[in-house]
Amino acid sequence: MPDSDFITELGRPFLAHRLRRLAEAFVDGYGRWLPTLGIDAPPRSLSTLLLLEREGPLGVTEIAARLRLSHPLLIRLTRALEARGLTRAERDSGDGRRRLIALTEAGRAQAQALGGAIRVIDRAYEDLLRETGIDMMEGCARVEAACRALSFEERLERAAAGIHQQGESECATSA
């Protein structure tokens, strides 16, 4: 297997790939570590458990909006939580068509057990970011805010228009 990293060689256009790879390394790391604390929740569902513990039963759409994750991803996460007996679906008494996701007793216990784990995860990130000299939290906040102000799709359209205009002006000057 070659030592080169093809995605790194491709550069900035593959930033999303590198961020996903980094996120997967983090999630996989604490996914292997959490069971040593008796935490059985899927590692990608921690924020969902904590939100449900704090807010009580919520609809999948509400959870997705609060966590700023996709609806399909939240459906998969809540199904995984339900399969482990950590959540259950309830009908909304105000709207019978709407399903609310609620923690079970086991889910509440897992959410409460996360308190200590979250402190350890925070410390590990703090150490990593100090070691690298990167304020990634501030960087993420700034990039997220910029993308809320102008979506990445809009930025792609603007970049494409700029490249198109640049190409036309290069053609005009060479004519």
Side-chain angles (χ1 to χ4, degrees), residues 2 10 18 30 34 41 69 76 97 107 117 129 142 144:
L10 292 173
R18 293 190 66 190
Y30 61 78
L34 287 169
L69 296 173
R76 286 192 304 274
R97 298 167 297 169
L129 299 179
R142 291 170 60 184
E144 286 174 333

Side-chain angles (χ1 to χ4, degrees), residues 16-34 43-44 121 124-125 128 136:
H17 187 115
R18 293 190 66 190
L19 292 172
R20 175 168 304 259
R21 210 167 51 179
L22 190 56
E24 291 296 322
F26 293 153
V27 171
D28 289 347
Y30 61 78
R32 287 187 299 273
W33 173 75
L34 287 169
R44 285 176 180 74
I121 292 168
Y125 280 133
L128 176 63
M136 193 174 278

